[in-house]
Amino acid sequence: MESLNRLAAQAAELLAGHPGPVVHSLECGRGHLDREPDADQAAGVAIGAAVQRRLAAEQPRPPLLTPLMDDDQVLVRQPPSAYLGYLRRHLPEPPRPPVPQSSPVLRAIAAVLHARLLALHPPGGLHRRAGGLFLRLPDGSDCELLEDAAGARITGGVLLEAALLVYRTAPDLFDTHFRLRFGPDGDVHRAAAAILDVPGPAEETLQRLHAYYARFTAVTDPEAPDSGVRLLVDQALAGPPVAHLNVLPDYHASRQHKVRGLLGLLRLPVALLSLHFSVAGERVTLTSDRVTPAGDRVTPTS
């Protein structure tokens, strides 16, 4: 516990006097449904609680707590209700309903971002490898936009993270649209959590989840982005630049760097701050960038 307190204090100090823009949302203690809460999740939540209190005291409003849960694994050992309960016990403000990585809402936003990328940049920066569609980033590294690009067209992790940041900019806007459009079935994140909460064979859970998600295929195809979701993305990004804060173990640093590169290519007015921690090393580092309303970015600093 003492080591967690030290990590949390380091993180809060790193954010002292953050120059802005206001940190609009915070993700910490990312949940992995295939395992019980571990040391990294505990550290992420402890750091998140400390920085949330710091930002609430220094900003006009506290950041929205927007948890993400990794449901890519079939086996569920930490169901969404247990994950949400864990966050509620340890965070100073109640979090929003957890967003599953498999969310059709995120994939609908990702489809719009994919089209935006193709409109802003010639296809010369795209290439296929091992069935996936890859993008060359400004630093020379590659990120996978789509897995199985000729078949299932599964959204790649970096593009999905960018879509999550757009969602976090105006979550109520997207949630309301899906409820109005799809009726009771449109409360996507609560419905997915309810399916994942039901005990039973993993294969049956996955089948129920896929059957539910099939209702949203009209808006999740990256080759045919939905016009309604496109309008939502434009509306969410129409205001001044916003900042989002992620609290993640340090092995996520490389992907967060790629996310910043993709945000720059997409010219999104979204700044990403990342607090990366090592439980074993008892250290926390901050990486951030600044962005103009036009989407121009200042080189990240550590």
Side-chain angles (χ1 to χ4, degrees), residues 193-263:
I195 292 171
L196 291 164
D197 260 330
V198 176
E203 292 78 8
E204 293 182 9
T205 299
L206 195 60
Q207 288 175 1
R208 289 196 301 272
L209 192 64
H210 286 172
Y212 171 64
Y213 283 167
R215 306 174 195 194
F216 305 97
T217 53
V219 300
T220 57
D221 185 353
E223 300 300 324
D226 181 75
S227 59
V229 178
R230 188 194 302 270
L231 289 174
L232 291 181
V233 171
D234 291 343
Q235 186 175 347
L237 300 175
V242 297
H244 298 291
L245 173 62
N246 289 344
V247 178
L248 294 165
D250 54 9
Y251 54 80
H252 285 271
S254 176
R255 174 176 283 191
Q256 293 284 282
H257 177 71
K258 289 177 183 282
V259 172
R260 289 187 179 86
L262 181 58
L263 293 175

Side-chain angles (χ1 to χ4, degrees), residues 96 98-113 155 159-160 162-168 170-179 182 185-192 212-213 216-217 219-221 226 229-230 232-233:
R96 293 182 57 83
V99 179
Q101 285 191 336
S102 61
S103 164
V105 180
L106 296 188
R107 278 158 174 76
I109 297 171
V112 172
L113 296 184
T155 307
L159 180 57
L160 197 68
L164 176 62
L165 294 174
V166 174
Y167 171 80
R168 285 164 55 180
D172 288 333
L173 179 71
F174 291 101
D175 290 347
T176 299
H177 174 85
F178 272 74
R179 284 196 300 269
F182 294 98
D185 290 336
D187 199 346
V188 176
H189 300 149
R190 293 183 189 277
Y212 171 64
Y213 283 167
F216 305 97
T217 53
V219 300
T220 57
D221 185 353
D226 181 75
V229 178
R230 188 194 302 270
L232 291 181
V233 171

Side-chain angles (χ1 to χ4, degrees), residues 50-74:
V51 300
Q52 199 279 337
R53 293 188 184 96
R54 182 90 190 221
L55 292 171
E58 295 182 351
Q59 296 187 165
R61 61 185 183 278
L64 296 173
L65 295 168
T66 54
L68 180 73
M69 54 187 187
D70 179 359
D71 63 328
D72 287 344
Q73 304 297 324
V74 176

